[in-house]
């Protein structure tokens, strides 16, 4: 016999038989017992590394990336997942980008990355962000993934002349 696991079998069918003292009457009762979920599975990401490019001129508040797949095969509150940026491991990325989850079906989510503050390619051309998915179980379980964000340089600087003013003399 193996331990119960709701993810493998959520109903168990048992037959209980009752008999009298004289063993003359035997009555079987068939019953189904529902296996209650315990939080034994951490949320999982579809991939451990995600990558995307973003133009430095994108407006604050725009959702930049919506392809982070994650799931938790537990049930009920054990499968309710929240997504956060790990500020200890990627502080600058967490100041610049916000992550959130959008439920799809029970236990399945899409992670979103939104811009929190303006980007500037000349100041920073890429970010490596560590994100954490944590379930809502009594003893919460979590997992992490990385997002590599490349900032695209857009012509947003006015041209300047070095060593101005210039003068030219042309003979007649």
């Amino acid at each position: 016999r193996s331990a119960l696991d709701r993810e493998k079998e959520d109903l168990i069918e048992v037959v209980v038989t009752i008999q009298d003292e004289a063993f003359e009457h035997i009555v079987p009762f068939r019953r189904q017992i529902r296996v209650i979920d315990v939080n034994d599975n951490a949320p999982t990401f579809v991939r451990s590394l995600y990558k995307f490019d973003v133009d430095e001129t994108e407006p604050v508040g725009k959702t930049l990336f919506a392809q982070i797949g994650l799931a938790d095969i537990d049930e009920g509150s054990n499968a309710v997942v929240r997504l956060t940026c790990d500020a200890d491991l990627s502080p600058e990325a967490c100041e610049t980008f916000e992550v959130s989850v959008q439920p799809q079906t029970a236990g399945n989510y899409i992670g979103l990355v939104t811009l929190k503050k303006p980007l500037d390619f000349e100041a920073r051309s890429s970010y490596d962000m560590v994100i954490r998915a944590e379930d809502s179980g009594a003893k919460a379980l979590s997992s992490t993934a990385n997002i590599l964000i490349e900032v695209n340089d857009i012509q947003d600087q006015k041209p300047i002349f070095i060593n101005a003013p210039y003068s030219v003399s042309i003979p007649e």
Side-chain angles (χ1 to χ4, degrees), residues 25-97:
H25 297 78
I26 298 175
V27 180
F29 287 100
R30 183 176 302 269
R31 296 290 182 253
Q32 287 187 335
I33 300 171
R34 184 166 124 52
V35 179
I36 297 172
D37 187 48
V38 295
N39 193 26
D40 57 345
N41 295 286
T44 56
F45 289 93
V46 173
R47 297 193 312 239
S48 60
L49 176 65
Y50 296 88
K51 297 179 189 179
F52 70 93
D53 292 357
V54 58
D55 292 342
E56 68 177 328
T57 55
E58 290 293 354
V60 170
K62 181 175 183 181
T63 298
L64 306 172
F65 191 67
Q67 298 175 21
I68 303 167
L70 60 144
D72 192 319
I73 61 172
D74 286 315
E75 186 177 66
S77 65
N78 296 332
V80 174
V81 174
R82 68 184 180 102
L83 192 61
T84 57
C85 183
D86 193 323
D88 292 332
L89 299 175
S90 48
E92 291 179 1
C94 294
E95 291 173 9
T96 308
F97 303 96

Side-chain angles (χ1 to χ4, degrees), residues 94-159:
C94 294
E95 291 173 9
T96 308
F97 303 96
E98 182 175 331
V99 292
S100 60
V101 291
Q102 186 174 49
Q104 299 299 298
T105 58
N108 292 294
Y109 301 86
I110 295 293
L112 309 172
V113 179
T114 305
L115 187 60
K116 280 171 53 174
K117 71 180 200 180
L119 297 170
D120 183 5
F121 176 86
E122 288 73 28
R124 181 140 187 185
S125 62
S126 68
Y127 294 86
D128 188 3
M129 182 166 53
V130 178
I131 57 174
R132 180 175 306 281
E134 184 175 84
D135 63 29
S136 299
K139 291 182 180 178
L141 301 174
S142 67
S143 61
T144 61
N146 287 56
I147 304 175
L148 180 59
I149 304 164
E150 295 288 337
V151 179
N152 297 325
D153 189 19
I154 302 298
Q155 181 57 42
D156 61 345
Q157 306 292 323
K158 294 179 182 178

